[in-house]
């Protein structure tokens, strides 16, 4: 069989979230906001905040270890590692290399980060799939790991209520079986709208200085209204395009796993697709927006809750800073079934 015929499927998922919960009530003591405002506008009740020693590489390593254990595999079985993050532990080396060392992965494998903000996990999945279909890599770890609490301005009520920390991981594997695993995909970006959601300083164009710190330019800034508008349009369109590409209708999709940004965004996307919210599992209320970690966190939860069954069609869709977006249709595959 030629390697071009290989399918790539998610064999197992794992997660790690920090213990520390930050509730809306606590936030309302920090900025001028209320539990009622946050819940009504975003659907979020609390989020997790990472402490010392809980960097993206740590959270990601724990999530990856759980996914490997559930797959019955060891670190030595991993042929490729991709980490999606917009909050790397350090500017360099990559969070993937730090995670590789923490997990004890082999040294003869590629380890790298993907930077696509909240779309990072979808981007990384598709990069991994395309590398694996060549037959060069049998098993990959794809990890979304974030510590957004480190880039949030805790005095800015328009953003600080929305974000949280966490990590999720997927073990990908190739199989000769057709029509299973990652079926169709789409990625897109629009750098002309980069400033809608960005961090102005801290990179090489504007290294951190005493002035940039004083002015808070190393923090995440967002035009919430515009981001909301783009997110709904692009996520709904991406779903429709991937479904059309695969010749599948939304009625055939068992579960939609969208990036967990805001419950009102999810409701608007579901409504545009004419799909009930019962097929849009959400954990936003407990984790907020965890960027690249949000899809694997939601996917793992739906799997652990017993919702996802062998053979189910699942559509994951994301949107984020860049702007970036992506969608992947997959057929859930449990080889032992
Ligand atoms: N608590 C109380 N009031 C707040 C607030 C908060 N945390 N944040 C903003 N407000 C105020 C605003 O200052 C504004 O006051 P004004 O009318 O006196 O000017 C009012 O609430 C309404 O603000 P607005 O921005 O119109 O609210 P909104 O309905 O657009 O909701 C967001 C704001 C941020 C929740 C919403 O725009 C959003 O979710 N956008 C997308 C964000 C996102 O998902 N980003 C990540 C994408 S990956």
């Amino acid at each position: 069989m030629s390697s071009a015929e290989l399918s790539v499927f998610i064999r197992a998922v794992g997660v790690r979230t920090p213990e520390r919960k930050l509730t809306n009530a606590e936030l309302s003591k920090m900025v001028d906001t209320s539990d009622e405002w946050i819940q009504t506008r975003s659907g979020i009740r609390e989020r997790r905040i990472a402490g010392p020693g809980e960097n993206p590489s740590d959270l990601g390593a724990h999530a990856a270890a759980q996914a490997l254990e559930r797959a019955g595999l060891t670190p030595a079985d991993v042929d490729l590692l991709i980490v999606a993050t917009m909050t790397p532990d350090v500017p360099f080396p990559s969070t993937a290399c730090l995670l590789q060392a923490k997990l004890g992965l082999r040294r003869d494998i590629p380890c790298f980060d993907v930077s696509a903000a909240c779309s990072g996990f979808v981007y990384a999945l598709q990069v991994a799939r395309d590398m694996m279909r060549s037959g060069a890599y049998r098993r990959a770890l794809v990890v979304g790991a974030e510590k957004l609490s480190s880039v949030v301005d805790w005095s800015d009520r328009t953003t600080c209520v929305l974000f949280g920390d966490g990590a999720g991981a997927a073990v990908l594997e190739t199989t000769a079986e057709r029509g299973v695993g990652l079926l169709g995909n789409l990625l897109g970006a629009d750098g002309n709208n980069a400033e809608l959601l960005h961090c102005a300083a801290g990179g090489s164009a504007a290294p951190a200085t005493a002035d940039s710190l004083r002015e808070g330019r190393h923090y995440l800034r967002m035009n919430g209204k515009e981001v909301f508008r783009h997110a709904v349009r692009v996520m709904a369109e991406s779903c429709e395009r991937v479904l059309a590409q695969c010749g599948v209708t939304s009625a055939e999709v068992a579960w939609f796993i969208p990036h967990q940004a805001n419950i009102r965004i999810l409701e608007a996307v579901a409504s545009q697709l004419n799909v009930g919210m019962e097929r849009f599992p959400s954990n936003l209320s407990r984790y907020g927006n965890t960027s690249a970690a949000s899809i694997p966190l939601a996917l793992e939860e739906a799997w652990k809750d017993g919702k996802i069954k062998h053979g189910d069609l699942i559509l994951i869709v994301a949107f984020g800073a860049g702007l970036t977006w992506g969608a992947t249709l997959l057929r859930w595959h449990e080889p032992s079934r």
Side-chain angles (χ1 to χ4, degrees):
M1 170 162 296
S2 100
S3 58
E5 289 169 302
L6 292 173
S7 300
V8 176
F9 69 101
I10 295 179
R11 178 153 164 194
V13 281
V15 296
R16 181 71 158 209
T17 51
E19 285 293 309
R20 162 89 171 103
K21 292 177 185 169
L22 178 65
T23 64
N24 290 350
E26 287 174 88
L27 266 174
S28 60
K29 291 183 193 132
M30 297 159 58
V31 288
D32 182 13
T33 190
S34 65
D35 177 42
E36 200 264 334
W37 193 97
I38 302 170
Q39 285 211 46
T40 318
R41 302 291 175 125
S42 71
I44 300 165
R45 279 191 284 123
E46 60 189 31
R47 66 289 293 143
R48 300 298 178 95
I49 303 296
E54 286 185 315
N55 295 317
S57 66
D58 303 301
L59 296 170
H62 283 290
Q66 186 180 57
L68 282 175
E69 194 192 323
R70 285 172 172 171
L73 297 171
T74 70
D77 297 315
V78 176
D79 305 313
L80 165 68
L81 167 67
I82 307 181
V83 174
T85 185
M86 63 181 276
T87 50
D89 287 29
V90 288
F92 62 88
S94 68
T95 300
C97 286
L98 302 177
L99 197 158
Q100 174 202 23
K102 285 177 183 168
L103 206 53
L105 300 181
R106 300 197 321 263
R107 288 196 298 170
D108 61 342
I109 68 168
C111 299
F112 61 94
D113 289 0
V114 159
S115 171
C118 301
S119 310
F121 189 77
V122 180
Y123 265 66
L125 268 188
Q126 295 187 25
V127 170
R129 179 184 90 147
D130 290 347
M131 290 177 74
M132 296 171 78
R133 284 170 93 192
S134 72
Y137 308 97
R138 169 108 207 275
R139 296 193 184 98
L141 265 174
V142 173
V143 179
E146 301 281 16
K147 190 172 176 179
L148 288 155
S149 59
S150 68
V151 294
V152 160
D153 178 350
W154 290 101
S155 66
D156 175 8
R157 69 175 182 173
T158 68
T159 54
C160 76
V161 301
L162 299 173
F163 298 98
D165 303 333
V171 176
L172 267 53
E173 192 168 285
T174 52
T175 173
E177 211 167 310
R178 295 177 188 211
V180 301
L182 311 184
L183 303 178
N185 63 69
L186 166 156
L187 296 176
D190 173 16
N192 294 309
N193 277 311
E195 288 193 3
L196 291 183
L197 177 47
H198 78 299
C199 183
S204 59
T209 60
D211 282 347
S212 75
L213 292 177
R214 197 167 38 248
E215 290 157 14
R217 285 192 287 125
H218 57 298
Y219 289 131
L220 172 162
R221 301 290 173 203
M222 177 174 70
N223 178 335
K225 265 198 189 323
E226 278 300 300
V227 169
F228 192 104
R229 207 173 54 79
H230 282 276
V232 172
R233 182 177 54 78
V234 164
M235 285 170 81
E237 269 176 25
S238 300
C239 289
E240 279 161 0
R241 284 177 53 199
V242 166
L243 289 173
Q245 187 192 103
C246 298
V248 167
T249 66
S250 58
E252 295 171 79
V253 175
W255 304 106
F256 291 79
I257 310 280
H259 165 51
Q260 309 281 305
N262 180 320
I263 196 69
R264 292 187 299 140
I265 293 178
L266 305 198
E267 285 165 356
V269 172
S271 151
Q272 286 204 22
L273 296 173
N274 211 9
V275 170
M277 277 303 279
E278 67 285 354
R279 283 197 282 149
F280 270 69
S282 169
N283 55 22
L284 251 174
S285 63
R286 283 171 287 116
Y287 297 123
N289 179 346
T290 56
S291 187
S294 96
I295 285 178
L297 281 173
L299 184 67
E300 193 267 353
E301 195 165 285
W303 168 79
K304 210 169 58 191
D305 289 350
K307 291 190 165 107
I308 295 177
K309 302 272 189 307
H310 177 72
D312 277 356
L313 278 175
I314 298 172
L315 181 45
I316 64 179
V317 58
F319 172 87
L323 301 175
T324 54
W325 55 89
T328 299
L329 181 73
L330 61 100
R331 188 175 293 284
W332 194 256
H333 180 60
E334 291 169 10
S336 53
R337 301 284 300 271

